[in-house]
């Protein structure tokens, strides 16, 4: 009977009001009800992307938004530069390699922040880069990249070069300003800080990117973003959308507006700070330095046996699910998601459970230590 706690970096818990909205009953996607729903959604979703431009909604997972950004903004034979700092930078790389592009990769060691000066030199050594692709938050390592500084660098390199940002584990959990950050295209998915089930992908583009997309000769059909923007003019979608998810999205956006968007971002930062303080108090080493620590996901290290024990005990004894590492970080880290419908009290819950697990496992007294550190970080 005890409610379970899902603290993974996606999918994330759904607020009951959103579940309720999603079960309101089906409406036709060509009906006036749907048109007014889309109109509402459009006006309230833009602040989360930090833009006044329309945000296209696709019925597909986050990866489709990554692919959409690339196939609409880059022509065959053109050069792209991809920042690869984890599993999702790798995803951009795999997408790029599936198309006839010239692909340049800037590798960042997993778990480390991007060195902006080094990146500047790397970019300067490449010619005719048409677009630079980066994660805002690399979910697999819990690193955030310096998006604002990157955006400026890209535009210093060339005003013609587009800056494309994967905000899948960031939009809704951290502030964006597409203009100030020089982002031409920002994408995300529904199942992270947008507090929805998986199934929607979002693509925001400024006018420069829209123009590039409408002139692009690369063959594409479902992922042709022009179709979505054209349909948005009539508050519609080109294909049958996931109507219930959009009904839920409307509710998500009113919940975020009720809380206040700045407060939502502050809450995410507060959860990060609490968790980092608490984990340190448990003698757990954080994977990422403070300067690059994500407001939406936190990774910590330990030996493989201890990590496996922690993950199992959290799930089986405390009803809390967290995530393991991906690819070569498997068995080396655990990741705790703190985005969307998650709150400071959830951080206290997971830290209290970790105190109990580690006190027993290490035969050491941890009771109260992580909680005190987290509460100091939150209240002081
Ligand atoms: C940063 C980032 N990009 C892309 C994706 C891929 O999204 P999806 O699994 O919805 O296709 C994820 C999913 O975890 C992600 O965290």
């Amino acid at each position: 009977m005890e409610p379970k706690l899902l603290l993974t970096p996606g999918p994330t818990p759904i607020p009951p009001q959103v579940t309720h909205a999603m079960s309101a009953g089906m409406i036709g996607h060509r009906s006036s009800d749907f048109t007014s729903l889309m109109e509402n959604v459009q006006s309230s979703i833009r602040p989360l992307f930090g833009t006044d431009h329309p945000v296209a909604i696709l019925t597909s997972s986050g990866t489709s938004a990554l692919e959409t950004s690339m196939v609409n903004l880059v022509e065959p034979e053109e050069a792209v530069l991809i920042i690869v700092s984890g599993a999702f930078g790798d995803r951009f790389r795999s997408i790029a390699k599936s198309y006839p592009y010239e692909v340049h990769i800037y590798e960042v060691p997993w778990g480390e922040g991007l060195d902006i000066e080094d990146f500047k030199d790397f970019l300067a050594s490449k010619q005719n880069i048409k677009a630079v692709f980066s994660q805002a938050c690399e979910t697999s390592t819990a690193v955030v990249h310096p998006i604002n500084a990157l955006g400026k660098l890209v535009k210093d390199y060339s005003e013609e070069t587009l800056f494309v940002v994967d905000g899948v584990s960031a939009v809704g959990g951290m502030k964006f300003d597409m203009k100030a950050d020089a982002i031409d295209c920002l994408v995300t998915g529904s199942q992270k800080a947008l507090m929805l089930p998986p199934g929607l992908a979002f693509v925001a583009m400024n006018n420069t990117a829209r123009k590039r997309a409408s002139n692009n000769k690369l063959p594409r059909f479902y992922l042709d973003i022009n179709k979505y923007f054209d349909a948005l003019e009539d508050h519609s979608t080109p294909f049958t959308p996931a109507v219930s998810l959009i009904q839920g999205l409307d509710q998500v956006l009113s919940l975020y507006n009720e809380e206040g968007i700045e407060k939502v971002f502050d809450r995410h930062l507060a959860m990060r700070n609490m968790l980092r303080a608490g984990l340190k108090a448990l003698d757990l080493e954080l994977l990422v330095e403070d300067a690059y620590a994500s407001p939406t996901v936190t990774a910590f290290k330990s030996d493989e046996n201890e990590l496996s024990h922690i993950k199992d005990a959290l799930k089986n004894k405390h009803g809390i699910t967290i995530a393991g590492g991906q690819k070569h970080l498997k068995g080396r880290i655990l990741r705790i998601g703190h985005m969307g419908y998650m709150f400071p009290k959830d951080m206290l819950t997971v830290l209290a459970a970790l105190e109990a697990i580690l006190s027993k496992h290490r035969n050491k007294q941890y009771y109260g230590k992580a909680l005190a550190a987290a509460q100091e970080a939150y209240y002081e």
Side-chain angles (χ1 to χ4, degrees), residues 4 14 21 37 51 152 221 245 260 265 313 351:
K4 305 235 183 300
I14 314 294
L37 174 68
T51 185
K152 289 206 172 87
F221 186 78
L245 295 191
F265 300 146
L351 288 169

Side-chain angles (χ1 to χ4, degrees), residues 3 7 14 18 20 41 61-62 67-68 82 134 155 182 225 242 245 268 284 298-299 302 346 380:
L7 295 182
I14 314 294
V18 175
H20 184 71
V41 162
S61 88
E67 184 158 349
T68 298
I82 299 167
S134 176
K155 299 301 164 183
I225 202 65
L245 295 191
H268 283 81
L284 288 166
T298 294
S302 188
D346 298 320
E380 296 301 312

Side-chain angles (χ1 to χ4, degrees), residues 263-324:
K263 290 220 170 87
V264 171
F265 300 146
D266 289 348
R267 168 163 57 83
H268 283 81
L269 282 174
M271 290 192 286
R272 173 193 75 180
N273 296 344
M274 291 173 78
L275 207 47
R276 289 177 70 81
L279 293 170
K280 281 184 205 162
L282 294 172
D283 301 321
L284 288 166
E285 195 185 340
L286 298 169
L287 177 69
V288 179
E289 277 177 42
D290 288 352
Y292 308 101
S294 168
T296 57
V297 53
T298 294
F300 62 91
K301 300 197 249 186
S302 188
D303 64 72
E304 191 163 357
N305 283 342
E306 185 165 89
L307 290 178
S308 150
H309 176 73
I310 291 174
K311 190 160 180 271
D312 289 349
L314 275 176
K315 186 160 173 42
N316 302 331
K317 297 216 170 91
H318 300 269
I320 301 173
T321 305
I322 65 169

Side-chain angles (χ1 to χ4, degrees), residues 9 61-64 66 88 91 135 137 139 166 168-169 191-192:
S61 88
T63 303
S64 76
L66 270 59
F88 296 104
R91 182 78 48 95
Q135 272 58 50
C137 168
T139 325
D166 166 1
V168 172
S169 56
Q191 77 274 26
K192 311 250 175 184

Side-chain angles (χ1 to χ4, degrees), residues 102-160:
E102 181 185 319
V103 183
H104 298 272
I105 303 293
Y106 179 78
E107 301 264 5
V108 181
W110 291 33
E112 287 183 21
L114 181 138
D115 179 336
I116 203 84
E117 284 305 313
D118 189 63
F119 177 75
K120 186 177 174 184
D121 294 343
F122 185 85
L123 181 59
S125 73
K126 305 289 169 207
Q127 261 147 42
N128 287 324
I129 300 289
K130 294 293 176 193
V132 172
F133 292 80
S134 176
Q135 272 58 50
C137 168
E138 175 48 77
T139 325
S140 64
T141 62
V143 163
V144 275
H145 290 311
I147 291 302
N148 183 273
L150 274 173
K152 289 206 172 87
L153 268 189
V154 171
K155 299 301 164 183
D156 284 349
Y157 167 80
S158 162
E159 279 293 334
E160 302 290 302

Side-chain angles (χ1 to χ4, degrees), residues 48-271:
L48 292 180
F49 285 76
T51 185
D52 295 329
H53 294 290
V55 179
I57 305 178
L58 285 70
T59 294
S60 39
S61 88
T63 303
S64 76
L66 270 59
E67 184 158 349
T68 298
S69 68
M70 203 172 279
V71 299
N72 283 278
L73 299 179
V74 189
E75 300 251 5
E77 315 311 327
E78 285 184 342
V80 294
L81 198 168
I82 299 167
I83 296 171
V84 177
S85 64
F88 296 104
D90 243 356
R91 182 78 48 95
F92 260 146
R93 181 204 326 242
S94 305
I95 295 170
K97 295 253 164 148
S98 311
Y99 290 93
Y101 297 143
E102 181 185 319
V103 183
H104 298 272
I105 303 293
Y106 179 78
E107 301 264 5
V108 181
W110 291 33
E112 287 183 21
L114 181 138
D115 179 336
I116 203 84
E117 284 305 313
D118 189 63
F119 177 75
K120 186 177 174 184
D121 294 343
F122 185 85
L123 181 59
S125 73
K126 305 289 169 207
Q127 261 147 42
N128 287 324
I129 300 289
K130 294 293 176 193
V132 172
F133 292 80
S134 176
Q135 272 58 50
C137 168
E138 175 48 77
T139 325
S140 64
T141 62
V143 163
V144 275
H145 290 311
I147 291 302
N148 183 273
L150 274 173
K152 289 206 172 87
L153 268 189
V154 171
K155 299 301 164 183
D156 284 349
Y157 167 80
S158 162
E159 279 293 334
E160 302 290 302
T161 304
L162 299 178
F163 183 38
V164 181
V165 175
D166 166 1
V168 172
S169 56
V171 171
M174 62 185 253
K175 193 179 169 78
F176 285 94
D177 180 335
M178 285 183 65
K179 201 165 180 192
D181 297 337
I183 301 172
D184 297 289
C185 175
L186 176 61
V187 305
T188 193
S190 49
Q191 77 274 26
K192 311 250 175 184
L194 291 182
M195 312 192 288
L196 286 166
L200 294 180
F202 302 83
V203 179
M205 283 185 180
N206 65 12
N207 288 337
T208 319
R210 290 275 301 273
K211 214 169 179 179
R212 201 70 72 84
S214 66
N215 293 331
N216 194 327
K217 307 274 184 309
L218 186 84
R220 59 212 191 275
F221 186 78
Y222 193 78
L223 301 186
D224 179 355
I225 202 65
N226 301 300
K227 292 187 171 80
Y228 294 83
F229 285 123
D230 287 349
L232 266 185
E233 306 261 325
D234 302 321
H235 307 296
S236 181
T237 54
F239 311 109
T240 311
V243 174
S244 348
L245 295 191
I246 296 176
Q247 289 169 313
L249 175 62
D250 192 37
Q251 183 61 39
V252 164
L253 296 169
S254 60
L255 290 175
Y256 270 174
N257 277 331
E258 209 175 286
E259 184 177 353
I261 288 172
E262 293 297 329
K263 290 220 170 87
V264 171
F265 300 146
D266 289 348
R267 168 163 57 83
H268 283 81
L269 282 174
M271 290 192 286

